[in-house]
């Protein structure tokens, strides 16, 4: 196989993996109650900021997030932004086809208004045995566009298991 064909095939498989991460997320998850468990919580009414710390666990439907600290800010007329830090921050969600998606990063930023997710520092997105690892992964949920970058001598690493990407199989 020529390098050009290999590069095109790899790019196509990476695109399929990225699309499968959110295209089939459980549709009812965002309608479910959000449950937050933490060691402490502080609220600043003036800045519309809530900080959860000391081992934070967030669940909403099939979504599960674990972090050391989570800061949620609501801006006037907009949805919240969420910033989480940990060693690492982890999350998982079950897709409509029953497959789990797992992610992690030293910090996670999610803007609910623009539906834009950023994983920074040892970032990873994984579905079964297929995964993308990079220093930084950005994901535009609305546009279903994923970008993974690494700096310095580190490289973006992708492992694709094609038969697991088939949405008809669990």
């Amino acid at each position: 196989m020529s390098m050009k064909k290999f590069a095109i095939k790899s790019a196509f498989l990476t695109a399929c993996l990225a699309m499968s991460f959110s295209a089939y997320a459980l549709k009812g998850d965002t309608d479910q109650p959000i449950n937050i468990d933490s060691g402490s919580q502080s609220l600043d009414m003036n800045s519309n900021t809530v900080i959860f710390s000391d081992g934070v666990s967030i669940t909403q439907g099939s979504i599960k997030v674990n972090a050391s600290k989570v800061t949620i800010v609501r801006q006037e007329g907009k949805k919240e932004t969420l910033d989480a830090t940990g060693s690492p921050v982890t999350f998982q969600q079950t897709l409509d086809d029953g497959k789990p998606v797992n992610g992690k990063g030293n910090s996670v930023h999610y803007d609910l208004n623009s539906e834009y997710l950023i994983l920074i520092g040892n970032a990873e997105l994984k579905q079964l045995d297929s995964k993308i690892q990079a220093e930084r992964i950005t994901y535009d949920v609305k546009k279903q566009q994923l970008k993974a970058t690494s700096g310095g001598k580190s490289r973006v690493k992708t492992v694709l298991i094609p038969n697991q990407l088939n949405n008809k199989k669990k």
Side-chain angles (χ1 to χ4, degrees), residues 1-164:
M1 179 182 293
S2 73
M3 285 302 288
K4 183 177 180 181
K5 285 183 182 177
F6 177 75
I8 291 170
K9 188 173 182 179
S10 295
F12 174 74
L13 289 172
T14 300
C16 288
L17 176 65
M19 285 182 357
S20 69
F21 278 132
S22 84
Y24 301 101
L26 282 178
K27 292 172 181 56
D29 276 346
T30 56
D31 296 328
Q32 298 297 316
I34 299 171
N35 299 291
I36 304 171
D37 182 62
S38 64
S40 65
Q41 172 184 332
S42 63
L43 170 64
D44 183 336
M45 298 286 275
N46 291 325
S47 65
N48 292 322
T49 302
V50 182
I51 299 172
F52 301 93
S53 56
D54 301 327
V56 183
S57 176
I58 301 172
T59 59
Q60 183 182 27
S62 76
I63 300 168
K64 294 176 180 61
V65 177
N66 292 299
S68 299
K69 179 180 176 182
V70 175
T71 303
I72 300 174
V73 178
R74 181 169 199 137
Q75 298 173 346
E76 184 98 16
K78 294 183 179 181
K79 293 183 181 177
E80 295 84 1
T81 60
L82 181 145
D83 287 287
T85 56
S87 298
V89 176
T90 62
F91 68 88
Q92 69 179 44
Q93 182 175 23
T94 303
L95 305 181
D96 277 340
D97 63 7
K99 294 178 187 176
V101 170
N102 296 284
K104 66 180 182 178
N106 294 342
S107 66
V108 173
H109 175 80
Y110 185 56
D111 185 328
L112 281 78
N113 198 55
S114 64
E115 295 185 40
Y116 199 77
L117 174 72
I118 304 171
L119 305 167
I120 302 169
N122 299 312
E124 178 180 283
L125 281 177
K126 182 176 179 183
Q127 184 179 28
L128 301 176
D129 296 320
S130 297
K131 64 184 172 182
I132 299 171
Q133 294 174 308
E135 185 58 29
R136 179 183 179 104
I137 298 173
T138 59
Y139 188 69
D140 186 323
V141 177
K142 286 181 184 176
K143 295 179 181 177
Q144 296 184 10
Q145 295 176 342
L146 180 141
K147 183 176 181 180
T149 56
S150 289
K153 294 182 181 181
S154 65
R155 308 274 294 165
V156 175
K157 294 178 176 50
T158 304
V159 175
L160 300 170
I161 311 297
N163 65 341
Q164 291 181 354

